Amino acid sequence: MRPIDVLVPELFANEGGIQVYSRTLIRALLQLRPHTPLRVFINNDCPRHLPTSGWEGVEWHPAGGSTWQLAASLLRAARRRRPQLLLSTHANYAPLQWLHHRLSGSPSWCSAHGIEVWTLQPGPRRWALGRLQLLLPVSRFTASALRRKFSVRCPPLAVLPNCFDAQRFHPGPPSPALLQRYGLRPGQPVVFSLTRLSTGDRAKHLNRLIRAMVELRSEIPDVVLLIGGEGDDRPHLKTLVHDLGLDGCVLLPGQISPSELADHYRMARVFALPSEKEGFGIVFLEALGCGCAVLAGNRDGSRDPLADGRFGLLVDPDQSLAVPLRQLLTSEGEPLWFVPEALSQAVGQQFAFPAFCERLSSVLADVVPGTMPWDPLTSSC
């Protein structure tokens, strides 16, 4: 049987949204096509990064950071055995995909996340991306951006949203060890945010979130804001916290270990990321899965994980954030937002791994012969 080839920037060397999405896609293909050989070509991972178990059925091709080695490996494999489909999880590889299609005749699909396609300028990547057989935007916002970018030459689109691990991100009691680490008492109101703290990402409006604490603490004196993440903007944010007299009530602990991430969501009463440049935002799904009330911006792909306001509060990020934060901290809003088990279950039905498998199965069925129909009663997803 002819294989399916998957082309990804990175899987295991580091942790991030595209890495999570890529791993999810591979696991879904293994679930939906258990008898189809799966070859995975990874740009940045080295052999030492690859797992020794848990991914049976995958043939790994790590390139160790060499794009030339990646291309050579992919094209050699296609020459040996032409794939049914080449599926990439990043638009940077569109020129290589176009060349692969020209040489092999195999259809080529590409995921589209956010800014990497919103800002595409005329050139080889944009030209090649517009000539692929299918694009898979993760949100309606990114799909709309692609239609504007390519106009009448836009390839077919199929929205394939991110998902979250419902077995890992679920409601539960706060971790006593974390409360002790941050000097918090049980039940103390905590607002949690998590993102890359980069000067290039100031459209996430963390400065507005910090400034909102001045007004918010006049009404809820013991509220604490915890912003996780690393980046070159962290010193600026720490200076802002000090200048506003918020030392001790706005905490920037740095990078948060993946093993402790779910406990950070469970420790918080509200998760807030008032961004206006999110392609989707897996963090929203993780927070919702843990039963956390969520605040997000209303101008970007954040609308999709919040289901246009069904699962959380969408706000104009240019407006004061103190009022909407107070509303969530005092349980003002849709009743579902403040019932952790019900919220987690509702979000899981729409965005957990089985929902991702069902969407991908539908997309594959028309193009790749032999795709197993999705059956939630017999599936192990």
Side-chain angles (χ1 to χ4, degrees):
M1 182 179 293
R2 288 164 54 200
I4 293 176
D5 287 352
V6 181
L7 176 60
V8 301
E10 194 171 73
L11 283 179
F12 304 107
N14 291 288
E15 190 71 9
I18 293 179
Q19 289 92 329
V20 171
Y21 185 89
S22 300
R23 294 196 299 264
T24 299
L25 181 67
I26 293 166
R27 287 201 180 278
L29 288 170
L30 289 170
Q31 178 72 44
L32 296 170
R33 298 297 308 272
H35 305 299
T36 300
L38 188 63
R39 304 185 298 199
V40 178
F41 301 82
I42 319 169
N43 197 159
N44 293 330
D45 286 12
C46 297
R48 70 176 184 276
H49 296 128
L50 301 180
T52 56
S53 62
W55 295 84
E56 289 71 20
V58 178
E59 179 183 305
W60 303 111
H61 295 266
S66 170
T67 303
W68 289 109
Q69 182 177 331
L70 178 77
S73 179
L74 179 70
L75 296 176
R76 278 198 305 266
R79 186 176 180 181
R80 288 195 308 269
R81 198 174 184 191
R82 186 168 68 92
Q84 300 179 50
L85 170 69
L86 172 60
L87 211 168
S88 166
T89 61
H90 202 287
N92 281 354
Y93 304 112
L96 177 56
Q97 289 187 264
W98 175 84
L99 177 61
H100 181 279
H101 174 67
R102 292 285 292 179
L103 295 175
S104 70
S106 301
S108 202
W109 299 357
C110 184
S111 303
H113 301 276
I115 196 167
E116 88 283 3
V117 292
W118 302 342
T119 58
L120 270 180
Q121 299 301 311
R125 275 184 294 176
R126 177 168 163 175
W127 183 90
L129 194 69
R131 284 158 177 79
L132 300 185
Q133 285 64 60
L134 182 69
L135 302 183
L136 299 167
V138 298
S139 66
R140 294 166 299 165
F141 183 82
T142 293
S144 297
L146 288 167
R147 291 190 188 100
R148 290 193 301 271
K149 181 75 64 177
F150 291 107
S151 187
V152 295
R153 291 193 60 91
C154 187
L157 305 178
V159 176
L160 185 63
N162 291 278
C163 78
F164 75 104
D165 185 348
Q167 295 182 343
R168 179 181 168 201
F169 296 99
H170 56 81
S175 162
L178 275 188
L179 292 175
Q180 183 178 13
R181 180 189 305 173
Y182 293 120
L184 302 171
R185 69 175 188 280
Q188 187 169 354
V190 175
V191 178
F192 178 45
S193 191
L194 178 69
T195 187
R196 183 175 58 240
L197 308 185
S198 168
T199 54
D201 285 330
R202 287 187 174 172
K204 295 179 184 290
H205 297 302
L206 297 178
N207 57 337
R208 291 181 178 273
L209 197 56
I210 292 170
R211 291 181 187 278
M213 289 293 290
V214 176
E215 181 179 345
L216 193 59
R217 283 181 64 83
S218 67
E219 302 181 53
I220 308 175
D222 58 345
V223 66
V224 169
L225 171 62
L226 179 68
I227 302 176
E230 275 290 0
D232 60 357
D233 205 34
R234 189 165 173 241
H236 161 77
L237 295 174
K238 293 184 75 171
T239 298
L240 177 63
V241 169
H242 179 74
D243 290 347
L244 293 174
L246 295 173
D247 295 302
C249 58
V250 176
L251 310 177
L252 289 94
Q255 196 71 30
I256 291 176
S257 167
S259 64
E260 294 187 323
L261 184 52
D263 280 329
H264 278 77
Y265 290 124
R266 295 184 190 116
M267 184 176 65
R269 191 175 300 178
V270 173
F271 179 82
L273 187 61
S275 176
E276 58 179 303
K277 288 195 176 177
E278 291 296 311
F280 184 90
I282 294 177
V283 289
F284 295 124
L285 295 182
E286 294 172 347
L288 291 165
C290 290
C292 205
V294 168
L295 178 148
N298 63 3
R299 299 179 183 173
D300 58 11
S302 307
R303 298 184 64 92
D304 281 27
L306 269 64
D308 292 327
R310 180 186 169 209
F311 297 148
L313 181 60
L314 293 164
V315 301
D316 182 346
D318 283 339
Q319 301 302 313
S320 171
L321 298 172
V323 172
L325 285 171
R326 178 188 58 76
Q327 291 174 345
L328 291 178
L329 287 167
T330 57
S331 301
E332 296 178 33
E334 296 295 324
L336 178 65
W337 302 347
F338 310 108
V339 185
E341 292 291 347
L343 180 61
S344 180
Q345 182 178 9
V347 172
Q349 288 174 352
Q350 192 162 334
F351 292 111
F353 186 52
F356 184 94
C357 288
E358 186 172 4
R359 291 187 179 101
L360 182 59
S361 174
S362 177
V363 176
L364 285 170
D366 294 334
V367 179
V368 182
T371 300
M372 294 181 63
W374 175 249
D375 185 351
L377 297 179
T378 60
S379 172
S380 62
C381 281

